[in-house]
Amino acid sequence: MLALVLAATAAEPSLPFVRYELPNGLQVILMEDHHLPQVVVDTWYRVGSKEEAPGRSGFAHLFEHLMFMGTDRLPGSGFDRVMEAQGGWNNAWTMEDATNYYDVGPSNLLETFLWMEADRMQALGRAMTQEKLDLQREVVRNERRQSLEDRPYGMVEIELCTALFPHGHPYAHSVIGSHEDLQAASLEDVQGFFASWYVPNNASLVVAGDFNVDEAKRWIETYFGGLARRELPARPEPAPVRAPQKATVTITDQVDAPQLNVYWHSPAKYQAGDAEMQLVADLLGSGESARLYRRLVDAGLAQEVSVFQYGLHHGGIFGVTVIPMKGVTVEELDAIVLEELGRLANAPPTAEEMERVRNQHAIATFQELEPLQNRAEALNRYWAYTGSPAWLGKDVARFADATAPSLSAAVAEWLPAAKASRIIVTPQPPVAAEVKP
Amino acid sequence: MNPILLALALVIAPAQARSRKPPPPPPVMEVAPVVDPLATMPTPGPAVAFAPALPETAALSNGVPVWIAPSPTLPIFTLIVSTPRGSQLDANGKEGTAAMAMEVMRRGAGTRDSEAFAAEVERRGLSIGSDVGPGGAWVALSGPTSQLTVGLELLADCLLRPRLDGKEIKKTRELLLAGLQQDLSEPSFVAARTASSLFWGPKHPYGRPAGGTEAGLGKVGAVDVRKWHAAAWKATGATIAVAGAVTKAQLLPLLEAQLGGWALGKAIDVPVPAAPVHAGEPIFVVDAPDSAQTGFYLAFPGLAHGAGAEAPTRLGTIVLGGTFTSRLNALLREEKGYTYGVRAEMDQERAGGTLVVRTRIRTDVTAEALIELNGQLDKMRAGIDAAELQKAFGAARGDVIAALESQAGVAGTLAEALTLGRSPDSVATDLARYAAVQVTDVTAPMALWDRNHAVFVLVGDRKLIEPKLREKGFTNLSFVTPP
């Protein structure tokens, strides 16, 4: 189980693991925990939407869906059928920098999980067909409709990319992609993407839970050891971006109230300033004693406010989202948001505020790492972004080390009013059907 | 050996060494066969037995039961106090009273006003959350174990000494109304709310939205909130479930000090009418112009908590729509590409329940999806096979174990068992019941998936879906607005 203690105790937090590399470049990270009779296999591929070719937005995510469409050895929906038949389950997600697959189930399924992951890492490409592609393309387009188009304010996520990042930047398009690009994806694209990125030297494999390390090592060597290393394509290396592309974007949606979204470029994940910006986000928007909550929601000006720092490999995004109460304009809210940021830039937060955000962050870290799958993913994430799965201690320490003046300095550096980009959603009444009796 | 060298050797050998005996055959190279380790999928080893730990049990001096699941690994805890009285105490016309009271209880309590209370909770890394349903309400305290004593003081303030002042009630009403308006832009929310109201009836405790209605919230005043709090939050029927880095010896004196004097009060018995019987209902449609998808919410007569056949009904429901390879998801998502996902599940209350199918379907194939759905529902009455049963058992077992991965999950599992009057070994009992289900046990409960006794609600773009529905024979349509 997680050997982690509160930063206040001054002990070194850690997620104990064994790490090694196969000759073909596959990174292996093993973490035992016999608390429950469960295992997790979490496979992280260092390829996400930032590696997509021009005109193929959404492809990395579409490919994630195709990874479940079967191989010659385990055709059709065999991956899910076999797993579920024995009480296991799986899922996956794609983001800008990575694609992550995880299998969860009873301990006795570990060898099966490893075989299935190795099987599709080796052989998915040659089993791909136009029919599979067409089917999953429709599923992904349904996901887009459900998650963005029919979700109130959902299209902000699409607009955000071009509002902040210049054309051609790897973050200038959304992970879900456009319908047009999804429809343009071909079978050749799928096979090329698989051959380029789904190779052992672009992946890391975490096994966590109730298993025997020696046995797991043997299985991993058996099933993954024979997979061929391949040279990886060049990755995009964009120049740092600090200025937004669009000052204001206005869109309409079938919603009851307008929404103000203000975004800035911010520090990259796990890089200098990232922790400070996360604490700034908590200080402004997390909990009922947060500054913007009190100024906006408690004062009756807004229905809700949320603030986030989203760090990525090539930079981050800091965002403030506010929905006004009836009769309050987004301009009024915008002025208050900027006023609070200016106040924070000019005067450090109080000791009590620092205590609050540090304690809340520490507790959130504990709670987030309770589920086995989250711990497996954390080890992979640390490895992918920092080169060390043993980064939990540093992760916790950077929040403990952040000071009130360093928060103010981060706000002054990253969140000037002149570098904000706004996406404003205005309500559009729907056109109802002509009602017949 | 190189084949050319081998041929040369054979040609020149007679000249080098004549012999009556033919030369021996060339040695056969022992080449190990290439074995592809991935050629055959391994067979899973034997299943690992699992015996969930029993909670420690105790009671406060006023009789409130306390279950504790100590887990010393992380220095945090979660504690849930529950009452068996929820929104069913809301007066008709004042739907939302309970929801509002539960919010306002956390907005100022004891000696602290709203701002001071939130600041004290949050600076200590604590959190106090709440929820309410028709048959109960819950307050959950979580945070670092080092703050347990203060946390319990704050929790007791919230439960026993909330200020419930008019200013906070007014503010909360505005926020709840604004949130409701936002939710009504979400097709899934509209579909669920409309179906509940139509299935149970708009005045039935399970048909009225626990979160309130616009009209109801508008009428709830300070007197209503205080009255609801006084009626709902008595020690009678209350329970406490705790998980985390706490021991019984450490916790009980602290709990006793804060909640041992909590007055019992009179038990309130709110009768819950039986569910109305539906037969041949029209398909109810809520117009959602320009929706890219149609929200489906289908409600069938289900089971109350503790009803017989709970385990086989749950496993059958999983077969229908509880996993990725379930019948419905395999058909509507993986075969037809109509949806991103579809779920079937059991929605249970103390005195009744529903079986539910919910999904979001591409607008242009709404009618086709309905035809396919109906076909699968009808097939359920023929029962399931052994492979499906095994899969459903694995999924049910996995759900039980997943809930035990976090302290909040453990506390939640214990709290539910406590409020339902179950024994402390409820987790083990559930696992044993699932394991005992036979294929034939599932057939009878699957008769519940009878669409002739169900309420179907579709939320979609009427101008696009109505003509196609009628064309495909779904002519009995009723257009409604959400409650």
Side-chain angles (χ1 to χ4, degrees), chain A residues 1 73 84-85 108 115 135 138 142-143 146 150 254 256 288-289 298 303 355 359 370 372 431 433, chain B residues 38 45 73 122-123 171 182 287 289-290 292-293 323-325 334 337-340 360 362 390 405 407:
Chain A
M1 189 63 177
R73 287 178 288 246
E84 288 191 359
N108 61 320
W115 182 89
L135 180 63
E138 276 314 302
N142 284 330
E143 181 179 352
Q146 181 166 326
D150 272 0
Q254 288 180 19
D256 181 62
E288 291 169 12
S289 43
D298 198 59
Q303 302 175 29
E355 182 186 19
N359 281 337
E370 281 190 279
L372 187 64
V431 180
Chain B
L38 290 169
T73 336
E122 291 173 7
R123 84 180 175 86
K171 208 184 297 178
Q182 272 198 60
D287 189 17
D290 302 331
Q293 293 179 314
T323 70
F324 190 82
T325 62
E334 292 298 291
Y338 290 167
T339 179
Y340 178 46
R360 300 269 290 272
R362 222 172 65 211
Q390 183 189 347
E405 281 204 278
Q407 295 180 356

Side-chain angles (χ1 to χ4, degrees), chain A residues 56-74:
Chain A
R56 291 293 181 272
S57 66
F59 191 81
H61 172 245
L62 171 61
F63 188 87
E64 173 217 306
H65 280 244
L66 293 167
M67 279 287 275
F68 297 89
M69 295 303 285
T71 62
D72 292 339
R73 287 178 288 246
L74 190 56

Side-chain angles (χ1 to χ4, degrees), chain A residues 1-6 35-38 40 61 65 68-69 73-74 77 80-82 84-89 104 106-109 111-112 114-116 118-119 122 135-136 138-143 145-147 149-153 210 222-224 226-227 254-257 286-290 293-294 297-300 302-304 323 325-326 352 355-357 359-360 363 366-367 369-373 375 428-437, chain B residues 36-50 71 73-78 103 106-107 114-116 118-127 142-146 167-168 171 174-175 177-179 181-183 185-188 287-294 323-326 332-341 359-364 387 390-395 397-398 401-402 404-408 461-463 466 470 479:
Chain A
M1 189 63 177
L2 183 66
L4 182 68
V5 290
L6 274 176
H35 181 62
L36 291 169
Q38 295 287 95
V40 170
H61 172 245
H65 280 244
F68 297 89
M69 295 303 285
R73 287 178 288 246
L74 190 56
S77 59
D80 290 297
R81 273 190 296 101
V82 168
E84 288 191 359
Q86 305 293 331
W89 61 278
V104 183
S107 318
N108 61 320
L109 268 184
E111 189 182 3
T112 308
L114 292 170
W115 182 89
M116 289 198 290
D119 171 55
Q122 187 211 39
L135 180 63
Q136 286 307 312
E138 276 314 302
V139 173
V140 168
R141 294 182 69 204
N142 284 330
E143 181 179 352
R145 294 177 185 109
Q146 181 166 326
S147 310
E149 294 164 30
D150 272 0
R151 185 167 63 85
Y153 311 109
D210 180 33
T222 300
Y223 298 130
F224 290 91
L227 307 191
Q254 288 180 19
V255 288
D256 181 62
S286 175
E288 291 169 12
S289 43
Y293 183 90
R294 297 221 70 79
V297 180
D298 198 59
Q303 302 175 29
E304 61 181 54
I323 298 176
M325 282 293 202
K326 288 255 188 291
E352 191 169 291
E355 182 186 19
R356 173 175 74 82
V357 292
N359 281 337
Q360 284 186 323
I363 287 298
F366 279 118
Q367 290 170 338
L369 292 176
E370 281 190 279
L372 187 64
Q373 198 274 321
R375 277 177 280 155
Q428 177 193 43
V431 180
E434 194 178 325
V435 178
K436 297 170 192 165
Chain B
D36 177 2
L38 290 169
T40 310
M41 184 168 59
T43 308
V48 178
F50 174 54
S71 171
T73 336
L74 292 172
I76 55 176
F77 72 95
T78 295
E103 278 295 313
R106 297 185 296 112
R107 296 177 188 269
S114 174
E115 185 173 356
E120 188 65 11
V121 168
E122 291 173 7
R123 84 180 175 86
R124 292 174 180 276
L126 295 162
S127 65
S142 61
T145 310
S146 61
K167 187 178 144 207
E168 291 300 329
K171 208 184 297 178
E174 296 304 313
L175 288 174
L177 282 169
Q181 283 307 317
Q182 272 198 60
D183 289 339
S185 308
E186 174 65 56
S188 300
D287 189 17
D290 302 331
S291 283
Q293 293 179 314
T294 302
T323 70
F324 190 82
T325 62
S326 66
L332 296 179
R333 172 181 155 134
E334 292 298 291
E335 188 184 325
K336 299 290 183 182
Y338 290 167
T339 179
Y340 178 46
T359 185
R360 300 269 290 272
I361 298 287
R362 222 172 65 211
T363 297
D364 63 312
Q390 183 189 347
K391 178 176 75 174
F393 168 70
R397 180 183 186 273
I401 292 177
L404 305 180
E405 281 204 278
S406 69
Q407 295 180 356
D461 191 335
R462 177 177 175 178
K463 63 182 176 293
E466 183 184 358
R470 292 193 185 280
F479 296 90

